[in-house]
Amino acid sequence: MRWVVWGIASVGGLAVAVGIISVIAANWDDIPEKLKLAACGALLLGSLGGAWRTSRLENLWPRDLFLLFHCGMVPATIGLIAQIYHLSGHPWRAVGLCAVFALPAAIVAKQGLLTDVFIGFLTLALGFFLSEYHWFDNLFQGDLRVVFVYAAFGLVLLLSVSAIRGAHFGASAAAKRWGIGLLAATAVAASGYWATASSRWLGQQPYPVLRWPMGIFLASAAALSAQLWWTRPPALRARLAAIAVLTLLLCGALVGRADETNLLLRQFVGFGLFAALCIAVAIAAAGSGSKLGTNLATLTLAGRVFVFYLELAKNLMTTGIGLIVTGLVCLAVAYAWWRFRRTLPVVALSRGAPG
Amino acid sequence: MSPTLGRRVLLALALADVVFFGGWVAREESLRRGGRIYLPIEGYDPRDLLSGHYVRFQLVAVREAAAFLKPRGASVPQTFCIEPRDGLYHVKGIRTGGASSCSPFLRATIDQWAHWDFGIDRFYVDERLANEASRIQANPNTYLVTTVDDSGAVHAVDLVVNGKSFGPKGASR
């Protein structure tokens, strides 16, 4: 019943807030510039004032909400100043500045949500920066440079997890979320690279091959492996296997792509590596007591099997092979679940983290 | 983190807000008060994107500068001398000497399409005015009112289309 009341109140509050914003927007050009800047400054500093006032409370959620509001006001202020003084420029600088202002809030906050905001700004700024140099233009036609840069960023985030866990548990959880999320996104991108033939858009010029993005990825992967070996976390072998398979999935995607005749082989190998990665991640998550991680990895694998079937179902031969591989993967997953059926619930319970 | 340290970080953040954003606004305000330079523009394209309503344009100086020096392969930043002709400023050549060799001058880099980029390509206006601007062709009474700082960077103050000011009242003067 309480949730129903909160739900109705939230909808009401949201409607009022959006209504106020709409009324202000309708009269935006009639509001003097100085008043706009003053109101923006008041909201910016007022959010910090609110955080200050609530920082001595036992429950720190209100303070963190004020800090979250401040993180939202920083891009709003940058946008307002740009609008009033008719400024244009590089978007990555504005987003990077937001990340700089979000960092102290992330350090102070008890919740990991503020770290999510900080890493989100960083990820976006990196994307804008790479986009400015047209790195996204032929994402699937070049040397996977964007994929390697983002994968290296994800690995660096995972490297930082154990370093900051003692000081800020929420921040380390956020870094872990983003690290795994970015690596998952890069694995999906690399998977697409394995499954498609090289073809250029009309008039699109290939970029010169860059080796350093792959170099920083390999260095980060080696550093994370060494850290894992040193700290000996649960499911160490599965984690190391996941890193090794991810490396093969990303680096191997660049091998032999120019030769379009071996597409079927590439599709099979790419699928096999992706499936192996999902299985390794599922085992590592289960070993760490994360039921959510295990379920997500298994679900991703199921999705990839379905996509693989669609990739291959072009004639009876490929459909047949696809069905055989699908069946074998299902049998392997079923066997893995049967094999670990006793261990998984025990590990999950002992960690006390079923979610 | 201890509550005291946390409050100190909050204080530092507030100070950073005031210094950075306050300083930025103060700088832009002071730049607005400089001598007016009228730069002809062309190529309207009103947009309604996340940035708000604004008019996109290209300074005529972009073409004029390219006639003196092709952007592709040129070293950046590059500075170009400008001079008034019929009330509007046009590029008269590349600035070769020191600060005293020509004044005023504009500083340019090269954008991603290999054009000279003077760091200004939009003017924020009301949606109705942006739509109005879309129906008007470039002409001698259409120009951007700017100030130019010591480094040659351009700062927009007003947009005048067909003699009609689109900026804040009194900005063109």
Side-chain angles (χ1 to χ4, degrees):
Chain A
M1 195 62 193
R2 211 176 110 201
W3 284 106
V4 175
V5 176
W6 272 111
I8 295 169
S10 305
V11 171
L14 192 66
V16 170
V18 174
I20 290 170
I21 291 169
S22 187
V23 168
I24 292 171
N27 298 288
W28 187 245
D29 286 283
D30 300 325
I31 302 171
E33 289 175 353
K34 299 277 187 301
L35 183 61
K36 287 180 199 168
L37 286 170
C40 192
L43 284 171
L44 189 72
L45 293 175
S47 60
L48 288 179
W52 174 277
R53 289 288 298 265
T54 50
S55 61
R56 289 217 189 275
L57 295 178
E58 198 171 323
N59 183 353
L60 289 172
W61 258 109
R63 184 199 64 175
D64 288 0
L65 280 177
F66 275 115
L67 287 174
L68 184 67
F69 183 70
H70 180 266
C71 287
M73 279 310 298
V74 170
T77 308
I78 294 170
L80 181 67
I81 293 174
Q83 190 192 52
I84 287 177
Y85 297 104
H86 310 286
L87 306 174
S88 55
H90 309 278
W92 71 267
R93 289 187 186 171
V95 184
L97 190 65
C98 293
V100 170
F101 275 92
L103 180 60
I107 293 169
V108 170
K110 189 172 165 55
Q111 316 296 332
L113 183 63
L114 274 294
T115 309
D116 283 307
V117 173
F118 167 66
I119 301 174
F121 278 136
L122 269 189
T123 308
L124 195 60
L126 183 62
F128 276 127
F129 182 76
L130 297 178
S131 173
E132 201 167 297
Y133 291 94
H134 301 275
W135 275 29
F136 282 100
D137 288 3
N138 53 5
L139 178 61
F140 293 109
Q141 300 301 331
D143 48 10
L144 282 178
R145 51 182 70 182
V146 175
V147 172
F148 281 116
V149 169
Y150 269 113
F153 183 41
L155 289 170
V156 169
L157 287 174
L158 289 182
L159 260 171
S160 70
V161 168
S162 62
I164 57 177
R165 186 181 289 134
H168 199 320
F169 183 77
S172 81
K176 193 174 174 182
R177 276 194 292 276
W178 278 87
I180 291 172
L182 284 170
L183 290 177
T186 55
V188 170
S191 195
Y193 202 81
W194 277 97
T196 52
S198 175
S199 62
R200 297 201 182 285
W201 293 98
L202 212 60
Q204 193 175 32
Q205 293 298 315
Y207 294 151
V209 175
L210 280 185
R211 291 289 173 216
W212 67 260
M214 192 200 282
I216 59 165
F217 165 75
L218 289 173
S220 310
L224 183 62
S225 303
Q227 188 202 44
L228 289 174
W229 186 260
W230 186 264
T231 54
R232 300 268 162 186
L236 173 64
R237 276 186 297 181
R239 288 170 194 245
L240 291 176
I243 295 171
V245 175
L246 179 72
T247 308
L248 279 176
L249 184 69
L250 265 62
C251 299
L254 300 175
V255 179
R257 191 159 190 255
D259 183 9
E260 293 188 16
T261 54
N262 62 7
L263 179 61
L264 190 65
L265 177 66
R266 284 180 57 83
Q267 284 174 326
F268 269 97
V269 176
F271 168 75
L273 286 172
F274 193 89
L277 178 64
C278 288
I279 292 166
V281 171
I283 294 172
S288 311
S290 170
K291 200 171 162 185
L292 178 69
T294 313
N295 287 341
L296 277 177
T298 314
L299 191 68
T300 309
L301 176 57
R304 183 66 185 96
V305 169
F306 181 68
V307 172
F308 184 58
Y309 181 73
L310 293 179
E311 280 170 12
L312 291 184
K314 287 169 189 159
N315 54 45
L316 275 176
M317 180 66 181
T318 54
T319 304
I321 295 171
L323 282 171
I324 291 167
V325 172
T326 305
L328 286 176
V329 170
C330 289
L331 288 172
V333 171
Y335 172 75
W337 274 111
W338 175 79
R339 176 86 171 69
F340 294 107
R341 72 192 189 284
R342 291 183 202 287
T343 353
L344 288 176
V346 174
V347 174
L349 281 175
S350 67
R351 308 252 163 220
Chain B
M1 180 177 283
S2 72
T4 317
L5 187 57
R7 285 164 80 99
R8 280 183 190 163
V9 173
L10 288 179
L11 260 184
L13 191 55
L15 194 67
D17 279 351
V18 171
V19 170
F20 181 81
F21 290 112
W24 189 5
V25 169
R27 181 175 177 273
E28 293 296 336
E29 277 296 325
S30 73
L31 287 169
R32 265 188 176 185
R33 289 190 209 104
R36 297 291 191 254
I37 302 279
Y38 303 95
L39 294 170
I41 54 174
E42 57 191 8
Y44 297 103
D45 184 11
R47 300 286 170 94
D48 179 9
L49 298 176
L50 288 174
S51 337
H53 302 294
Y54 60 86
V55 177
R56 277 182 76 101
F57 53 79
Q58 180 178 279
L59 297 177
V60 170
V62 172
R63 269 193 302 110
E64 293 172 341
F68 286 102
L69 180 65
K70 294 283 175 219
R72 202 175 289 276
S75 61
V76 288
Q78 196 67 242
T79 47
F80 295 93
C81 301
I82 53 173
E83 64 178 1
R85 262 181 265 150
D86 302 325
L88 300 179
Y89 279 75
H90 294 269
V91 174
K92 72 169 180 184
I94 305 165
R95 179 170 168 262
T96 47
S100 58
S101 63
C102 78
S103 182
F105 63 90
L106 303 179
R107 182 169 50 109
T109 55
I110 298 170
D111 69 12
Q112 50 191 322
W113 298 281
H115 296 141
W116 286 116
D117 180 5
F118 291 96
I120 189 158
D121 65 353
R122 67 186 64 182
F123 193 88
Y124 291 92
V125 291
D126 178 47
E127 181 185 15
R128 288 156 292 180
L129 293 175
N131 290 336
E132 195 180 325
S134 71
R135 293 190 291 272
I136 301 166
Q137 297 301 311
N139 64 59
N141 286 329
T142 299
Y143 51 88
L144 190 70
V145 182
T146 67
T147 60
V148 178
D149 65 25
D150 295 341
S151 68
V154 185
H155 303 269
V157 177
D158 193 5
L159 175 71
V160 177
V161 176
N162 259 1
K164 180 183 174 185
S165 164
F166 278 22
K169 280 176 189 163
S172 300
R173 287 187 293 276

PDB file of all heavy atoms in Angstrom, chain A residues 337-355:
ATOM      1  N   TRP A 337      25.156 -26.854 -15.711  1.00  0.00           N
ATOM      2  CA  TRP A 337      24.246 -26.596 -14.584  1.00  0.00           C
ATOM      3  C   TRP A 337      24.154 -27.824 -13.679  1.00  0.00           C
ATOM      4  O   TRP A 337      24.141 -27.718 -12.461  1.00  0.00           O
ATOM      5  CB  TRP A 337      22.850 -26.216 -15.092  1.00  0.00           C
ATOM      6  CG  TRP A 337      22.737 -24.758 -15.382  1.00  0.00           C
ATOM      7  CD1 TRP A 337      22.614 -24.172 -16.597  1.00  0.00           C
ATOM      8  CD2 TRP A 337      22.770 -23.690 -14.437  1.00  0.00           C
ATOM      9  NE1 TRP A 337      22.568 -22.813 -16.482  1.00  0.00           N
ATOM     10  CE2 TRP A 337      22.661 -22.495 -15.155  1.00  0.00           C
ATOM     11  CE3 TRP A 337      22.889 -23.626 -13.049  1.00  0.00           C
ATOM     12  CZ2 TRP A 337      22.645 -21.252 -14.540  1.00  0.00           C
ATOM     13  CZ3 TRP A 337      22.880 -22.387 -12.439  1.00  0.00           C
ATOM     14  CH2 TRP A 337      22.763 -21.232 -13.179  1.00  0.00           C
ATOM     15  N   TRP A 338      24.076 -29.030 -14.319  1.00  0.00           N
ATOM     16  CA  TRP A 338      23.976 -30.261 -13.523  1.00  0.00           C
ATOM     17  C   TRP A 338      25.248 -30.466 -12.701  1.00  0.00           C
ATOM     18  O   TRP A 338      25.221 -30.820 -11.542  1.00  0.00           O
ATOM     19  CB  TRP A 338      23.738 -31.449 -14.465  1.00  0.00           C
ATOM     20  CG  TRP A 338      23.743 -32.764 -13.742  1.00  0.00           C
ATOM     21  CD1 TRP A 338      22.739 -33.315 -12.998  1.00  0.00           C
ATOM     22  CD2 TRP A 338      24.840 -33.688 -13.665  1.00  0.00           C
ATOM     23  NE1 TRP A 338      23.123 -34.520 -12.471  1.00  0.00           N
ATOM     24  CE2 TRP A 338      24.421 -34.782 -12.874  1.00  0.00           C
ATOM     25  CE3 TRP A 338      26.128 -33.699 -14.208  1.00  0.00           C
ATOM     26  CZ2 TRP A 338      25.240 -35.870 -12.593  1.00  0.00           C
ATOM     27  CZ3 TRP A 338      26.943 -34.791 -13.930  1.00  0.00           C
ATOM     28  CH2 TRP A 338      26.491 -35.857 -13.120  1.00  0.00           C
ATOM     29  N   ARG A 339      26.385 -30.169 -13.369  1.00  0.00           N
ATOM     30  CA  ARG A 339      27.692 -30.377 -12.730  1.00  0.00           C
ATOM     31  C   ARG A 339      27.858 -29.461 -11.514  1.00  0.00           C
ATOM     32  O   ARG A 339      28.418 -29.857 -10.509  1.00  0.00           O
ATOM     33  CB  ARG A 339      28.760 -30.067 -13.791  1.00  0.00           C
ATOM     34  CG  ARG A 339      30.188 -30.131 -13.347  1.00  0.00           C
ATOM     35  CD  ARG A 339      30.738 -31.551 -13.455  1.00  0.00           C
ATOM     36  NE  ARG A 339      32.162 -31.599 -13.231  1.00  0.00           N
ATOM     37  CZ  ARG A 339      32.746 -31.377 -12.058  1.00  0.00           C
ATOM     38  NH1 ARG A 339      32.025 -31.081 -11.001  1.00  0.00           N
ATOM     39  NH2 ARG A 339      34.060 -31.463 -11.936  1.00  0.00           N
ATOM     40  N   PHE A 340      27.367 -28.222 -11.645  1.00  0.00           N
ATOM     41  CA  PHE A 340      27.565 -27.247 -10.565  1.00  0.00           C
ATOM     42  C   PHE A 340      26.318 -27.070  -9.689  1.00  0.00           C
ATOM     43  O   PHE A 340      26.223 -26.115  -8.950  1.00  0.00           O
ATOM     44  CB  PHE A 340      27.980 -25.884 -11.151  1.00  0.00           C
ATOM     45  CG  PHE A 340      29.324 -25.912 -11.816  1.00  0.00           C
ATOM     46  CD1 PHE A 340      29.438 -25.863 -13.198  1.00  0.00           C
ATOM     47  CD2 PHE A 340      30.480 -26.009 -11.068  1.00  0.00           C
ATOM     48  CE1 PHE A 340      30.670 -25.896 -13.815  1.00  0.00           C
ATOM     49  CE2 PHE A 340      31.723 -26.045 -11.691  1.00  0.00           C
ATOM     50  CZ  PHE A 340      31.823 -25.992 -13.064  1.00  0.00           C
ATOM     51  N   ARG A 341      25.347 -27.970  -9.821  1.00  0.00           N
ATOM     52  CA  ARG A 341      24.063 -27.759  -9.132  1.00  0.00           C
ATOM     53  C   ARG A 341      24.209 -27.697  -7.617  1.00  0.00           C
ATOM     54  O   ARG A 341      23.455 -27.018  -6.947  1.00  0.00           O
ATOM     55  CB  ARG A 341      23.059 -28.841  -9.536  1.00  0.00           C
ATOM     56  CG  ARG A 341      23.350 -30.216  -8.968  1.00  0.00           C
ATOM     57  CD  ARG A 341      22.489 -31.276  -9.633  1.00  0.00           C
ATOM     58  NE  ARG A 341      22.592 -32.555  -8.956  1.00  0.00           N
ATOM     59  CZ  ARG A 341      23.617 -33.384  -9.043  1.00  0.00           C
ATOM     60  NH1 ARG A 341      24.667 -33.048  -9.780  1.00  0.00           N
ATOM     61  NH2 ARG A 341      23.638 -34.528  -8.402  1.00  0.00           N
ATOM     62  N   ARG A 342      25.197 -28.438  -7.089  1.00  0.00           N
ATOM     63  CA  ARG A 342      25.357 -28.424  -5.634  1.00  0.00           C
ATOM     64  C   ARG A 342      26.159 -27.198  -5.189  1.00  0.00           C
ATOM     65  O   ARG A 342      25.893 -26.626  -4.142  1.00  0.00           O
ATOM     66  CB  ARG A 342      26.097 -29.676  -5.175  1.00  0.00           C
ATOM     67  CG  ARG A 342      25.268 -30.939  -5.346  1.00  0.00           C
ATOM     68  CD  ARG A 342      26.034 -32.142  -4.795  1.00  0.00           C
ATOM     69  NE  ARG A 342      25.539 -33.382  -5.371  1.00  0.00           N
ATOM     70  CZ  ARG A 342      24.377 -33.946  -5.069  1.00  0.00           C
ATOM     71  NH1 ARG A 342      23.587 -33.363  -4.177  1.00  0.00           N
ATOM     72  NH2 ARG A 342      23.997 -35.058  -5.633  1.00  0.00           N
ATOM     73  N   THR A 343      27.121 -26.821  -5.990  1.00  0.00           N
ATOM     74  CA  THR A 343      28.025 -25.723  -5.591  1.00  0.00           C
ATOM     75  C   THR A 343      27.352 -24.358  -5.640  1.00  0.00           C
ATOM     76  O   THR A 343      27.540 -23.546  -4.741  1.00  0.00           O
ATOM     77  CB  THR A 343      29.255 -25.666  -6.536  1.00  0.00           C
ATOM     78  OG1 THR A 343      29.213 -26.770  -7.395  1.00  0.00           O
ATOM     79  CG2 THR A 343      30.527 -25.579  -5.780  1.00  0.00           C
ATOM     80  N   LEU A 344      26.582 -24.095  -6.706  1.00  0.00           N
ATOM     81  CA  LEU A 344      26.070 -22.736  -6.937  1.00  0.00           C
ATOM     82  C   LEU A 344      25.265 -22.170  -5.770  1.00  0.00           C
ATOM     83  O   LEU A 344      25.582 -21.094  -5.283  1.00  0.00           O
ATOM     84  CB  LEU A 344      25.235 -22.699  -8.216  1.00  0.00           C
ATOM     85  CG  LEU A 344      26.023 -22.802  -9.513  1.00  0.00           C
ATOM     86  CD1 LEU A 344      25.088 -22.847 -10.708  1.00  0.00           C
ATOM     87  CD2 LEU A 344      26.975 -21.634  -9.641  1.00  0.00           C
ATOM     88  N   PRO A 345      24.201 -22.890  -5.273  1.00  0.00           N
ATOM     89  CA  PRO A 345      23.425 -22.293  -4.191  1.00  0.00           C
ATOM     90  C   PRO A 345      24.250 -22.083  -2.930  1.00  0.00           C
ATOM     91  O   PRO A 345      24.109 -21.078  -2.248  1.00  0.00           O
ATOM     92  CB  PRO A 345      22.300 -23.303  -3.941  1.00  0.00           C
ATOM     93  CG  PRO A 345      22.301 -24.221  -5.107  1.00  0.00           C
ATOM     94  CD  PRO A 345      23.679 -24.209  -5.648  1.00  0.00           C
ATOM     95  N   VAL A 346      25.198 -23.026  -2.675  1.00  0.00           N
ATOM     96  CA  VAL A 346      26.020 -22.905  -1.472  1.00  0.00           C
ATOM     97  C   VAL A 346      26.885 -21.661  -1.552  1.00  0.00           C
ATOM     98  O   VAL A 346      26.952 -20.851  -0.628  1.00  0.00           O
ATOM     99  CB  VAL A 346      26.911 -24.175  -1.303  1.00  0.00           C
ATOM    100  CG1 VAL A 346      27.876 -23.995  -0.155  1.00  0.00           C
ATOM    101  CG2 VAL A 346      26.031 -25.394  -1.101  1.00  0.00           C
ATOM    102  N   VAL A 347      27.513 -21.468  -2.718  1.00  0.00           N
ATOM    103  CA  VAL A 347      28.385 -20.299  -2.893  1.00  0.00           C
ATOM    104  C   VAL A 347      27.566 -19.019  -2.768  1.00  0.00           C
ATOM    105  O   VAL A 347      27.945 -18.077  -2.082  1.00  0.00           O
ATOM    106  CB  VAL A 347      29.100 -20.360  -4.263  1.00  0.00           C
ATOM    107  CG1 VAL A 347      29.874 -19.093  -4.508  1.00  0.00           C
ATOM    108  CG2 VAL A 347      30.015 -21.549  -4.327  1.00  0.00           C
ATOM    109  N   ALA A 348      26.388 -19.010  -3.426  1.00  0.00           N
ATOM    110  CA  ALA A 348      25.549 -17.814  -3.399  1.00  0.00           C
ATOM    111  C   ALA A 348      25.128 -17.480  -1.981  1.00  0.00           C
ATOM    112  O   ALA A 348      25.166 -16.324  -1.556  1.00  0.00           O
ATOM    113  CB  ALA A 348      24.322 -18.020  -4.278  1.00  0.00           C
ATOM    114  N   LEU A 349      24.752 -18.509  -1.219  1.00  0.00           N
ATOM    115  CA  LEU A 349      24.301 -18.256   0.149  1.00  0.00           C
ATOM    116  C   LEU A 349      25.444 -17.770   1.028  1.00  0.00           C
ATOM    117  O   LEU A 349      25.306 -16.830   1.811  1.00  0.00           O
ATOM    118  CB  LEU A 349      23.714 -19.543   0.745  1.00  0.00           C
ATOM    119  CG  LEU A 349      22.287 -19.870   0.300  1.00  0.00           C
ATOM    120  CD1 LEU A 349      21.867 -21.216   0.847  1.00  0.00           C
ATOM    121  CD2 LEU A 349      21.326 -18.796   0.794  1.00  0.00           C
ATOM    122  N   SER A 350      26.629 -18.424   0.835  1.00  0.00           N
ATOM    123  CA  SER A 350      27.756 -18.046   1.684  1.00  0.00           C
ATOM    124  C   SER A 350      28.195 -16.618   1.429  1.00  0.00           C
ATOM    125  O   SER A 350      28.699 -15.933   2.295  1.00  0.00           O
ATOM    126  CB  SER A 350      28.921 -19.001   1.461  1.00  0.00           C
ATOM    127  OG  SER A 350      29.399 -18.815   0.157  1.00  0.00           O
ATOM    128  N   ARG A 351      28.006 -16.131   0.209  1.00  0.00           N
ATOM    129  CA  ARG A 351      28.374 -14.740  -0.100  1.00  0.00           C
ATOM    130  C   ARG A 351      27.282 -13.784   0.327  1.00  0.00           C
ATOM    131  O   ARG A 351      27.503 -12.579   0.389  1.00  0.00           O
ATOM    132  CB  ARG A 351      28.595 -14.554  -1.596  1.00  0.00           C
ATOM    133  CG  ARG A 351      29.546 -15.548  -2.172  1.00  0.00           C
ATOM    134  CD  ARG A 351      30.856 -14.932  -2.527  1.00  0.00           C
ATOM    135  NE  ARG A 351      31.805 -16.005  -2.688  1.00  0.00           N
ATOM    136  CZ  ARG A 351      33.042 -15.974  -2.285  1.00  0.00           C
ATOM    137  NH1 ARG A 351      33.495 -14.906  -1.690  1.00  0.00           N
ATOM    138  NH2 ARG A 351      33.847 -16.988  -2.452  1.00  0.00           N
ATOM    139  N   GLY A 352      26.095 -14.319   0.511  1.00  0.00           N
ATOM    140  CA  GLY A 352      24.974 -13.474   0.937  1.00  0.00           C
ATOM    141  C   GLY A 352      24.578 -12.467  -0.092  1.00  0.00           C
ATOM    142  O   GLY A 352      24.113 -11.385   0.225  1.00  0.00           O
ATOM    143  N   ALA A 353      24.833 -12.764  -1.369  1.00  0.00           N
ATOM    144  CA  ALA A 353      24.479 -11.802  -2.428  1.00  0.00           C
ATOM    145  C   ALA A 353      23.698 -12.505  -3.511  1.00  0.00           C
ATOM    146  O   ALA A 353      24.201 -12.744  -4.603  1.00  0.00           O
ATOM    147  CB  ALA A 353      25.745 -11.179  -2.993  1.00  0.00           C
ATOM    148  N   PRO A 354      22.449 -12.858  -3.252  1.00  0.00           N
ATOM    149  CA  PRO A 354      21.694 -13.571  -4.265  1.00  0.00           C
ATOM    150  C   PRO A 354      21.368 -12.717  -5.463  1.00  0.00           C
ATOM    151  O   PRO A 354      21.158 -13.220  -6.539  1.00  0.00           O
ATOM    152  CB  PRO A 354      20.409 -13.966  -3.532  1.00  0.00           C
ATOM    153  CG  PRO A 354      20.284 -13.026  -2.401  1.00  0.00           C
ATOM    154  CD  PRO A 354      21.643 -12.612  -2.045  1.00  0.00           C
ATOM    155  N   GLY A 355      21.308 -11.396  -5.281  1.00  0.00           N
ATOM    156  CA  GLY A 355      20.975 -10.525  -6.407  1.00  0.00           C
ATOM    157  C   GLY A 355      22.181 -10.209  -7.183  1.00  0.00           C
ATOM    158  O   GLY A 355      22.129  -9.459  -8.118  1.00  0.00           O
TER     159      GLY A 355
END
